[in-house]
Amino acid sequence: MKNKRFLLWINLVLGSLSMFLVGCHTQKKAAQATQPENDTQVEQAAEGDRVVCKYGVPAEMYERPTRKYGTPDMRDKE
Amino acid sequence: MRARLRLALWLEKLRRRNLQKIHPLEQLFWESTLRCNVHCLHCGSDCISSIETPDMPAEDFLRVIDTEITPHVKPRSVMVIISGGEPLMRKDLAEVGRALQQRGYPWGMVTNGLALTEKKFRELREAGLRSMTVSLDGLEEDHIWMRQHPLAFEGACRAIRLCVNEPYLAWDVVTCVNQRTIDHLPAIRDLLWGMGVRNWRIFGIDPMGRAADNPELLLTDEQFRQLMDFIVAEREAGRHVSYSCEGFLGDYEGRVRDYLYQCAAGISVASILIDGSISACTSIRGKYYQGNIYRDSFWDVWEHKFEAYRDRSWMKKNAPCKDCKAFDFCEGNGMHLRREDGSLMLCHLQRLGQKNP
């Protein structure tokens, strides 16, 4: 058990060092720190049927799909 | 290969050696059902047999948790991931989740979202759902083609919208990219970021399961490099896009994931499959099963078996690993890419044109 705990601590150090060397942790933090430029936009997208897109693709592409295949709603069925 | 990366990989190798000795159980997959409400072209879960293969009774799984795992672990340190098929096909999913929560286990699931209503989502959250992965494989037409269900895209988008802004839920979207969608990645990114997705994992498709006979699903080597370059660019732009856990990626290590490559199958990852088989990741089948919960003690198997997973030197007997200088870092690539005869289906380094870096 002591040996196992020791190896776990060693692994923590080794893992931290290797992440530091390649900068993985800084990439992750930078990416997670990125917030939407406009938080309201995320709320709108979550509430409404229409997806708002600000990255250059027309929002019309992402309007709520119509059921053009005539299949009944399967959501509550197995 | 740059010097810092090489040093980091050597440190990671030492860390992996230690982990192989300790093999702490950190992730437990439960293949709860093979039933599914879609018919994905690339399914590797062998869902063809879903009709004949009954779901494992929840009490059998929980018995293993109570009598064979809990005495040996701190429950909060073991993430239980419920997979399938489609886990939402089980009517008792929330009950199982609640049982895990009461026992102190964090749990999560992977879903196509088709059967995820707001009511079901709330029920699962109240039952302790802590993480969710939603599969969305492209824009509407491509996703429907991939999932072979006309409501698949709508279901996935609805699931994503339920997750956005949900507090204390770790969630992401997984996309399996193929030849039809590789050039649409920027548009898919726009769609996802527009919906509020902030964690996106991208997978290639391996030549196994239903995908084995469908070349349109498999990226060419050039397209695979295109995928790597896309992910690198996205991460440099500050978006949290990652490649899957699969494959040693040579010079792309440290640039397309939050960690350096390690196949954790059998080292910190185990699974209990639909028929009770004890394996590592659910996509590892057949010869590499280590036991069965209806015959063996799960913990005895976890502690004393999995030799082929924890000492992978046997993989060096075959090409392409035999003369490969990267084996120390790669250890023969992912276990799920090994055929029954031990040969390797796919070498990511070769795909990237970086063999023997």
Side-chain angles (χ1 to χ4, degrees), chain B residues 122 244 271 328:
Chain B
R122 287 288 140 229
S244 71
S271 66
D328 278 340

Coordinates of all heavy atoms in Angstrom, one line a residue, chain B residues 122 244 271 328:
Chain B
R122 N -33.8 15.8 -17.0 CA -33.9 16.2 -15.6 C -33.9 15.0 -14.7 O -33.3 15.1 -13.6 CB -35.3 17.0 -15.4 CG -35.3 18.4 -16.0 CD -34.5 19.3 -15.2 NE -33.8 20.2 -16.2 CZ -32.5 20.5 -16.1 NH1 -31.7 20.0 -15.2 NH2 -31.9 21.3 -17.0
S244 N -9.3 12.3 -30.5 CA -9.7 11.2 -29.6 C -8.5 10.7 -28.8 O -7.4 11.1 -29.1 CB -10.4 10.1 -30.3 OG -9.4 9.4 -31.1
S271 N -14.1 -2.7 -18.4 CA -15.5 -2.7 -18.8 C -16.1 -4.0 -18.5 O -15.5 -5.1 -18.4 CB -15.6 -2.4 -20.3 OG -15.1 -3.4 -21.1
D328 N 8.7 2.6 -27.7 CA 8.8 3.0 -26.2 C 7.7 3.9 -25.8 O 7.3 4.0 -24.7 CB 10.2 3.6 -26.0 CG 11.2 2.5 -25.8 OD1 10.9 1.4 -25.4 OD2 12.4 2.9 -25.9

